[in-house]
Amino acid sequence: MFTSFVDLKYPEYEVITPQTHDSYHTKTLNVQEEERLKASFLTPSKITEHLNKCIYDSLVKKPAKIKTYEDFLKNVTLKDRDALLYGLYHITYEDIRNYEIKCGNCGKNYQITIKASETFNSLSYPNKDVLKKKVEVKLPVSKGVTAIIKQPTMFEELLAFKTLGSQPNANVDIITETLVIHEFKQLPENGDVLVWNEPGEIIDAYLTLPSRDKREIHSIYRKTFGKYGVALKMKSTCIHCGQEEDVDLDLVQNFFRMVYSV
């Protein structure tokens, strides 16, 4: 009866998270872990939960402060998760194979294969206060209203999916968009400051915003938090018309595509 291979050591890859600046070592996925992921594609919240658990289970070295899975969720931002997912992808698959691109010039599709490491770009957050930092955004149209924004963690994302997923006005996109909002505040001309900080209240308030206010929130978020992280970028030349263009590869989509393709 098979028990295990003798002295088998899985390849490892170190990831320094771009926003919290912590060191993690991840190992390659094995076949059993891939099969477990394949069986997990149910709802967006379940997919996210299984992905987080998959990343956590693949870690062979973690910072001292990460003693439990909940510690992991509370101390890793969504941008950090992208970096950890890249590390898991890189050590497991290495190549990005048969990735389909639609040419922006001629509109035809073609496929590329490239090493993941050749597409990797990272920009680190300038200090270590990202989990505590809050930024006020004075809305340009809704006068007197301020949105307080933050960089959400994986814990906040999962909590939002679990508590808000069944609400009629909270689809996945809206839940995701409002994760960056810590609270709304309003100072009426007469009266005390009004504060909305419950997840359901934040979504209800967000849905009433004029479009310019929404754009301002996400513009400030990108400048303050969102630009710090990892991305897979490359130059690609269309095989049909020869047009060269910059391409941003979808890391999550490609990870799941590779899981299914093996």
Side-chain angles (χ1 to χ4, degrees), residues 21 25 58 60 63 88 117 145 148 152 201 204 209 217 230 249:
H21 305 283
H25 287 241
S58 75
V60 292
L88 181 58
S117 57
V145 179
I148 314 300
E201 293 178 334
D204 289 340
L209 293 180
I217 289 171
V230 301
L249 305 180

Side-chain angles (χ1 to χ4, degrees), residues 64-194:
K65 63 185 175 183
I66 308 298
K67 294 179 170 54
T68 67
Y69 178 55
E70 186 169 308
D71 291 339
F72 177 64
L73 295 177
K74 289 182 175 179
N75 286 278
V76 176
T77 71
L78 302 188
K79 294 293 184 177
D80 288 338
R81 180 177 62 194
D82 290 343
L84 291 169
L85 181 59
Y86 166 78
L88 181 58
Y89 185 100
H90 173 77
I91 199 62
T92 302
Y93 303 114
E94 187 175 328
D95 290 344
I96 297 173
R97 299 197 301 271
N98 302 324
Y99 189 89
E100 189 164 283
I101 295 174
K102 183 174 183 178
C103 177
N105 182 53
C106 69
K108 294 181 179 179
N109 294 334
Y110 62 98
Q111 293 184 337
I112 62 161
T113 294
I114 190 172
K115 288 187 178 298
S117 57
E118 294 178 7
T119 70
F120 181 76
N121 293 269
S122 180
L123 181 63
S124 294
Y125 190 73
N127 49 57
K128 293 187 176 183
D129 70 345
V130 69
L131 295 178
K132 297 178 181 179
K133 189 176 181 65
K134 305 290 188 294
V135 176
E136 291 193 356
V137 181
K138 294 183 178 180
L139 304 186
V141 179
S142 302
K143 300 302 181 184
V145 179
T146 300
I148 314 300
I149 63 172
K150 64 184 178 183
Q151 173 58 53
T153 64
M154 296 193 300
F155 183 84
E156 291 168 325
E157 179 189 52
L158 278 179
L159 185 62
F161 277 133
K162 288 179 178 179
T163 57
L164 300 173
S166 60
Q167 292 191 6
N169 63 347
N171 60 41
V172 173
D173 290 338
I174 295 299
I175 292 174
T176 301
E177 288 177 20
T178 55
L179 284 173
V180 304
I181 302 172
H182 176 67
E183 65 183 17
F184 284 107
K185 294 195 301 186
Q186 183 180 23
L187 179 59
E189 292 184 6
N190 298 301
D192 298 328
V193 175
L194 303 173

Side-chain angles (χ1 to χ4, degrees), residues 24-43:
Y24 295 83
H25 287 241
T26 184
K27 68 170 182 62
T28 181
L29 289 178
N30 61 34
V31 174
Q32 184 178 44
E33 290 164 336
E34 285 183 327
E35 292 303 314
R36 191 180 303 130
L37 265 179
K38 290 178 184 179
S40 70
F41 295 167
L42 302 170
T43 65

